[in-house]
Amino acid sequence: MIRLEITSTSQVGCVRSQNEDMVLVDTHFIRNSEFSTQASLNHNDRYLVAVADGMGGHNRGDVASNDVLRNLQFYFSDIPEKLNAGDFNEVMVEWLDSINNFVASKGRADEQFKGMGTTLVGLAYYYGDFYSMNCGDSRLYRFRQGELTQLTTDHSLNNMLGSEKHTNIITNCIGGGCNSSYMDLVRISDVCPDDVFLLCSDGLTDMLSNQEIARLLNDGADAMALGDAAVEAGGLDNVSCCVITIK
């Protein structure tokens, strides 16, 4: 039996007029609010946490993040039981193709949705295994014994060029005019008690360095404390994050 302690928050920040982020925790959708819960999982369970950052430079990023997370929640709950890692990856690729087509068709049908898009980062528990999933530049970290490690790779221009500095020019997302999106889906083989996983939009990591995030987590900060710290540091973008502690 694995027990999860989960806190999450999504806030508009100090500059943006609306929140285009959204967080999914199992069946709960969080925007302009906070949420905390616990979950006990056995090898026959599935559980999904995800963060979507609607693209502010495109029309209706708030709609894109909402549509993608609601579609993903329904799809994930309906995936066949006990697929191996390869088959699980295949069904998630099928979902990505399907949701890309849905977002694009919505833009063709209504001009206000043209070009809308979103990133997606997730942590999925599926029949005894944890998987990271990533499309874009939202991030998944693991905090273990005082050390913060980024588990996902930013799909961004600066990352392609080898620069450590973050940029909002992304090279992969869901919708947003991407003709062929892709998803990094990786089984996490070494999950240990007291591991802390952090999922977040770049509104958090643009405001707080990895050292600051590690210090806060080491002091026991939950998602709300991290989000508040990012807002206090300037809150230049929407700020969304989820902290998951393995017990």
Side-chain angles (χ1 to χ4, degrees), residues 24-227:
L24 167 66
V25 179
D26 191 27
T27 60
H28 301 272
F29 298 89
I30 299 99
R31 173 181 283 160
N32 298 324
S33 62
E34 56 190 46
F35 177 73
S36 61
T37 190
Q38 297 182 355
S40 296
L41 307 174
N42 61 43
H43 276 66
N44 292 317
D45 288 328
R46 60 184 79 189
Y47 201 91
L48 178 63
V49 178
V51 172
D53 180 352
M55 295 169 61
H58 295 268
N59 294 337
R60 304 309 303 269
D62 58 325
V63 175
S65 59
N66 176 78
D67 286 352
V68 166
L69 286 187
R70 291 186 183 277
N71 189 286
L72 175 61
Q73 190 276 330
F74 176 81
Y75 184 90
F76 181 75
S77 68
D78 203 41
I79 291 174
E81 298 180 357
K82 299 180 181 179
L83 299 177
N84 61 36
D87 290 338
F88 182 67
N89 184 77
E90 282 190 20
V91 299
M92 292 310 302
V93 169
E94 291 175 1
W95 172 79
L96 183 63
D97 289 341
S98 173
I99 193 61
N100 256 317
N101 290 333
F102 173 81
V103 172
S105 65
K106 200 165 184 174
R108 289 191 296 268
D110 191 330
E111 184 69 23
Q112 69 168 316
F113 301 127
K114 185 177 182 180
M116 70 178 182
T118 184
T119 68
L120 175 71
V121 66
L123 180 69
Y125 180 83
Y126 174 80
Y127 288 91
D129 288 317
F130 283 94
Y131 293 86
S132 69
M133 54 181 67
N134 178 50
C135 180
D137 65 345
S138 295
R139 293 177 177 176
L140 171 65
Y141 292 90
R142 177 171 55 202
F143 182 69
R144 174 186 287 174
Q145 297 180 346
E147 182 175 350
L148 186 70
T149 304
Q150 184 177 340
L151 300 183
T152 54
T153 300
D154 293 351
H155 302 155
S156 66
L157 181 60
N158 274 15
N159 189 59
M160 289 179 63
L161 298 176
S163 172
E164 293 185 0
K165 185 177 179 181
H166 179 257
T167 175
N168 60 3
I169 302 175
I170 61 176
T171 56
N172 180 42
C173 65
I174 299 173
C178 285
N179 294 322
S180 57
S181 300
Y182 62 93
M183 178 186 291
D184 296 334
L185 193 145
V186 179
R187 186 171 71 88
I188 305 173
S189 58
D190 59 335
V191 176
C192 301
D194 298 324
D195 278 352
V196 177
F197 291 95
L198 167 65
L199 298 93
C200 60
S201 63
D202 61 1
L204 182 84
T205 51
D206 281 351
M207 294 292 99
L208 302 177
S209 68
N210 284 2
Q211 292 77 16
E212 291 170 311
I213 293 172
R215 177 183 60 80
L216 288 165
L217 289 174
N218 198 55
D219 290 341
D222 59 12
M224 286 70 85
L226 288 173

